[in-house]
Amino acid sequence: MADPPGCCRPCATCLLCLYSCQWITAKKEKRKGLRTTKCDCSWFLFLFCVFLFTLVWLYFAIIILNDFHNFNEFIFKQQKLWLDWSLVLLIATAVLITYSTALLVLALCLQICGQPLKLHWLHKTLLIITALVVAAAFTGLGIKWAEEWKSARISLQETGPFLHIGIVGGMTLLAWPLASVIYRTRNTGLKVFLLLAYCAVMIALYLAPLGITSPCIMEENQLPPKPALVGHRGAPMLAPENTLMSLQKAVDCNVQVFETDVMVSADGVPFLMHDEKLTRTTDVQKVFPERADMNSTAFNWTDLQQLNAGRWFLERKPFPTVQSLSGGDRALVDEQRIPSLEQALEAVKESNISIMFDLRPENHSDYWSFVNATLDVILKSGIPLQQVLWLPDGFREQVKERAPGIQQIYGRKRLQDEEPLQHVNLRYQDMSFEEIRQYRRDNISVNLYVVNQPWLFSVLWCSGVSSVTTNACQVLKEMKHPIWLLPSSTYLMIWIVVDCVSFLMILWAFLLLKKCSQRRQPVESETDVLLTKINSLMQD
């Protein structure tokens, strides 16, 4: 098989060596009569599918980084092992996508160079393992973390216009090896099938923007105000969560609300703590090793004050930002203790921000006493009640009667024939953009949690959300504008230009390779005649 113009024989040999894991020169390949069989084509199709499968997983891996801290906490509660599993996820995904991409590029180059696609058994085995690993990852995601499918839907509305451009570009480049196959094969049925399939896919892609919607496709003057920031347990990327230092760091990030969690000690003192047990965010295993597995509410306030609530932050490094802490901040972290609700209310009052909290655990048999103890501290603190945002559903009516000035925040959507809610607090996956806009029109404040990535903040900003709860207040406060904002007329122009450029490049690829194919045909014909003559002479 003659090498196409521009494809040197040493390069073709090297590509064949990498793909088939054996050194086969062009002469040996001819002598052995190696050709691409139907089985080889099947493995190439499998390689292409594995590449697409892995590429989709890479997209999901990037999306779920927004919520990966929750996964780290879940693993710690189950295994008592803290590790930033997002690094493991990204490294493993990068290895898989790099391998499948490199192998696919080799196959396409071999096809353009006219070389046989003899995939080595080792590559076949690794491809099967790659497919199984990615399938297991998707299965685990669907079973244990199903809400991330909703995150993917949101991300598609943020990235849809750019994914469309990327896919069109990739399919346009695919025209080169496709044209090479079409002009080289003698099977008319295969030619027609490949050409029709490719044209159908490209037409669908060219028309895809008709179905693409995004909140960020709007005019500049239609952009809603920037959402307010709610510090999730303070500023947990800059200081230990639910500490006074974390609260102060959140204030420095210009948050309007400090979101926290409240529990009540055995002697009736409300304090800040998220987990039911103290093992993750304190040194209880060193101070009270025999009581380390007891619930937080089983400790009295005197015992709780003996625990260090900051050292774990330096030891486990729950976020990469811990590495960049200054010496002064590290010293301050090491001094942190579990704060009482009274201390937190005093700091909030001085900073002139609001406080929003859950009262845990809601299934406790003595929950009413928890509510009373918490209300006592709030009313005695002197904080303006409008700065207190009450999340717990338990005994909500009694709370309204005793402290009517407290703002009631609901963790659900409004119901039909119900008095309109003033404030709702939901996961960002639980509200559609249409619902957010409707609530905004009805003057209902919508806070969504937990929003850490700029892409997610951008799309929620465009949709008109009132505020977001975040771990990354230091990142989101610097955003002065959504990542992208396109008027519909500009997007229409981009759509038309991309489609036209793609069509012209595909046309050029087919015409150029057709010309190259026509040049090869006389040479191949002369070679066939010469071989026939030689064969006849040898027989004579």
Side-chain angles (χ1 to χ4, degrees):
M1 184 180 293
D3 295 336
C7 185
C8 64
R9 184 167 295 175
C11 291
T13 301
C14 289
L15 292 173
L16 192 60
C17 173
L18 291 172
Y19 191 78
S20 61
C21 294
Q22 51 185 323
W23 188 262
I24 304 177
T25 64
K27 291 183 178 180
K28 287 183 179 179
E29 175 251 321
K30 286 183 179 180
R31 190 160 54 245
K32 287 185 177 182
L34 294 178
R35 293 293 184 269
T36 300
T37 64
K38 290 183 179 180
C39 181
D40 297 328
C41 292
S42 299
W43 276 108
F44 172 76
L45 181 60
F46 180 69
L47 166 61
F48 187 70
C49 292
V50 170
F51 166 75
L52 293 180
F53 198 32
T54 312
L55 194 63
V56 172
W57 172 251
L58 173 64
Y59 181 81
F60 268 86
I62 294 173
I63 296 306
I64 64 179
L65 287 179
N66 182 82
D67 305 313
F68 221 83
H69 186 71
N70 296 338
F71 180 78
N72 292 341
E73 290 185 2
F74 172 78
I75 294 296
F76 181 84
K77 291 176 183 178
Q78 299 297 318
Q79 305 295 332
K80 297 296 182 289
L81 171 66
W82 183 269
L83 181 66
D84 187 359
W85 293 97
S86 63
L87 293 177
V88 178
L89 172 74
L90 289 177
I91 292 172
T93 303
V95 170
L96 295 178
I97 191 66
T98 301
Y99 173 71
S100 57
T101 302
L103 210 55
L104 181 63
V105 170
L106 281 174
L108 294 176
C109 291
L110 282 171
Q111 178 58 44
I112 293 174
C113 291
Q115 299 299 314
L117 301 180
K118 295 295 180 180
L119 188 65
H120 192 265
W121 66 267
L122 179 60
H123 286 316
K124 294 177 182 178
T125 304
L126 291 177
L127 279 177
I128 293 174
I129 292 174
T130 299
L132 292 175
V133 169
V134 176
F138 273 116
T139 303
L141 186 69
I143 294 174
K144 293 294 185 181
W145 215 358
E147 63 268 19
E148 290 305 314
W149 296 111
K150 298 179 182 179
S151 301
R153 175 180 55 81
I154 295 172
S155 70
L156 286 174
Q157 292 188 301
E158 166 69 5
T159 60
F162 306 100
L163 285 178
H164 169 253
I165 294 173
I167 295 172
V168 168
M171 291 300 295
T172 301
L173 293 176
L174 196 61
W176 290 87
L178 181 67
S180 176
V181 171
I182 289 175
Y183 290 132
R184 185 174 288 115
T185 185
R186 296 178 181 178
N187 189 327
T188 305
L190 180 61
K191 287 183 180 181
V192 173
F193 172 76
L194 291 175
L195 197 57
L196 289 178
Y198 184 73
C199 289
V201 171
M202 292 310 300
I203 291 173
L205 286 175
Y206 288 157
L207 299 178
L210 292 173
I212 293 176
T213 60
S214 174
C216 292
I217 298 178
M218 64 167 61
E219 302 295 329
E220 183 77 29
N221 56 12
Q222 296 177 329
L223 181 65
K226 180 180 178 178
L229 300 182
V230 177
H232 184 232
R233 308 175 199 169
M237 290 188 176
L238 305 177
E241 65 180 59
N242 284 333
T243 61
L244 294 180
M245 180 182 178
S246 187
L247 192 159
Q248 186 55 52
K249 289 290 185 182
V251 171
D252 295 340
C253 288
N254 300 324
V255 304
Q256 294 188 10
V257 181
F258 168 58
E259 187 276 339
T260 186
D261 307 275
V262 175
M263 293 193 177
V264 180
S265 67
D267 51 350
V269 178
F271 63 96
L272 307 192
M273 181 60 58
H274 175 268
D275 297 0
E276 290 190 9
K277 296 183 180 180
L278 301 166
T279 50
R280 183 174 66 87
T281 57
T282 71
D283 59 349
V284 66
Q285 291 174 314
K286 294 180 180 178
V287 180
F288 302 111
E290 70 285 353
R291 301 166 61 191
D293 290 330
M294 295 176 63
N295 285 349
S296 306
T297 53
F299 290 78
N300 60 44
W301 181 239
T302 304
D303 292 340
L304 293 172
Q305 283 296 279
Q306 297 180 47
L307 302 177
N308 186 291
R311 200 166 295 137
W312 70 274
F313 187 72
L314 299 175
E315 293 173 351
R316 294 180 185 145
K317 299 179 178 60
F319 296 98
T321 47
V322 178
Q323 302 283 1
S324 59
L325 290 180
S326 65
D329 280 346
R330 288 177 177 273
L332 190 57
V333 165
D334 197 50
E335 298 173 358
Q336 294 304 299
R337 302 287 171 178
I338 298 175
S340 66
L341 177 60
E342 181 181 1
Q343 293 171 322
L345 291 172
E346 185 63 30
V348 164
K349 185 168 61 173
E350 291 178 1
S351 303
N352 195 29
I353 63 172
S354 298
I355 182 171
M356 177 170 66
F357 59 86
D358 265 321
L359 184 58
R360 299 171 179 270
E362 292 197 17
N363 59 354
H364 197 280
S365 58
D366 204 19
Y367 191 72
W368 171 237
S369 67
F370 288 2
V371 172
N372 273 328
T374 303
L375 287 175
D376 287 341
V377 172
I378 292 173
L379 295 173
K380 290 177 183 178
S381 68
I383 187 174
L385 293 184
Q386 63 268 23
Q387 290 180 229
V388 180
L389 312 181
W390 186 275
L391 280 172
D393 285 326
F395 303 101
R396 190 182 289 275
E397 294 303 319
Q398 291 85 337
V399 173
K400 289 181 181 179
E401 292 177 5
R402 187 174 175 193
I406 291 179
Q407 296 192 57
Q408 298 294 324
I409 313 298
Y410 293 84
R412 59 174 175 80
K413 299 177 183 179
R414 62 181 176 183
L415 305 175
Q416 290 184 347
D417 302 325
E418 180 187 36
E419 181 183 348
L421 309 179
Q422 296 298 313
H423 310 278
V424 295
N425 179 64
L426 296 166
R427 292 184 307 176
Y428 71 88
Q429 298 103 327
D430 291 343
M431 286 201 80
S432 67
F433 298 135
E434 292 75 18
E435 288 175 321
I436 293 173
R437 287 169 175 166
Q438 183 60 51
Y439 277 43
R440 186 165 175 262
R441 285 192 291 267
D442 296 340
N443 292 319
I444 299 175
S445 173
V446 176
N447 179 72
L448 300 181
Y449 64 90
V450 173
V451 178
N452 300 319
Q453 296 294 324
W455 70 264
L456 181 56
F457 184 68
S458 292
V459 73
L460 294 178
W461 183 348
C462 294
S463 67
V465 72
S466 307
S467 58
V468 299
T469 300
T470 180
N471 292 326
C473 59
Q474 78 282 1
V475 175
L476 302 188
K477 78 165 185 176
E478 300 297 336
M479 293 184 63
K480 309 301 181 187
H481 197 269
I483 292 177
W484 67 272
L485 193 69
L486 285 177
S488 55
S489 58
T490 303
Y491 179 54
L492 177 62
M493 181 181 67
I494 293 174
W495 170 22
I496 294 173
V497 169
V498 168
D499 285 2
C500 290
V501 170
S502 169
F503 177 76
L504 292 175
M505 290 185 67
I506 292 172
L507 193 61
W508 179 51
F510 273 85
L511 291 177
L512 183 63
L513 287 178
K514 182 179 181 180
K515 189 175 181 180
C516 294
S517 176
Q518 290 173 345
R519 287 179 179 176
R520 285 198 303 270
Q521 286 177 357
V523 177
E524 292 176 353
S525 299
E526 292 174 5
T527 303
D528 291 340
V529 171
L530 181 60
L531 290 174
T532 302
K533 289 182 178 180
I534 293 174
N535 188 43
S536 299
L537 289 173
M538 291 179 66
Q539 289 178 353
D540 292 342

